[in-house]
Amino acid sequence: MGSDSNHLADLSVVKSVSLTSALEKELERLILTGELEPGERINEIHLSNRFGTSRGPIREATRSLEAKGLVEVVRNRGVFVRRLSVEDAVEIYDVRAALFGQAGRLLAERMTDGLLGQLTRMVDEMDAVAERGSFDDYYPLNLSFHNLIVGSCGNRTLQAEYHRFVNKLHLFRARALVQGGGLAVSNREHRAMLEALASGDGDRAQMTHWRHVALAKRRLIAAVDGAASRID
């Protein structure tokens, strides 16, 4: 009888952990897609009704999201989706550039014809989208291209850290400032990255990948400065 009770208790813990994990992933999705906007308060009652659960698992899920830097706890007020400042975004770009550069170096040493062909087709597709000036179509293709590079570099720790920083950048909604601009320039940088990867030169690949993110940071700063001057 005692062993049965222990087993039931273990199952209860597993169910609780599984529910919290599922809620964490769903809340993260709502944040990264913008359904829960930066600065918005996490309404535990509303979410518990929406997902048909108690408030406890919701609270546990938000604690995990706080550790990821996606939400912040304001004393006596509650939990809010984190709002990323320009300064925060610039710092994240610097770290992301270093990680992406290393991913390029590692990938150059393990590049295959099949993967090179896949990346080339993606860049060709982004060329066509850039000609139309459609940021909404370009953005997911660009993310997929970067994710394929990082996901294929053979370093799981780098991949996890890279995605953690990229996810935080989704909180910076000033991304809208650069919609429709610089797409062709960005994709020319992708071509340079491809050429470096195809050459198998790790140093060259690292530099082109680092430079791509560094220039993206520069474009972001220019867009923010331009918007501020128009407001002034």
Side-chain angles (χ1 to χ4, degrees), residues 111-147:
M111 178 58 64
T112 65
D113 290 341
L115 182 56
L116 183 62
Q118 188 176 354
L119 290 168
T120 300
R121 287 190 293 273
M122 295 173 81
V123 171
D124 288 343
E125 187 174 359
M126 281 187 280
D127 263 340
V129 171
E131 287 182 10
R132 301 198 305 268
S134 174
F135 179 87
D136 288 338
D137 291 336
Y138 186 91
Y139 187 65
L141 291 172
N142 181 62
L143 285 180
S144 296
F145 178 74
H146 285 228
N147 288 343

Side-chain angles (χ1 to χ4, degrees), residues 6 66 106 119 137 140 205 207 212 226-227:
N6 291 338
E66 181 186 13
L106 293 173
L119 290 168
D137 291 336
M207 178 54 66
H212 176 57

Side-chain angles (χ1 to χ4, degrees), residues 10 22 111 157 164 218:
D10 290 341
M111 178 58 64
T157 301
R164 186 166 68 89
R218 187 182 299 176

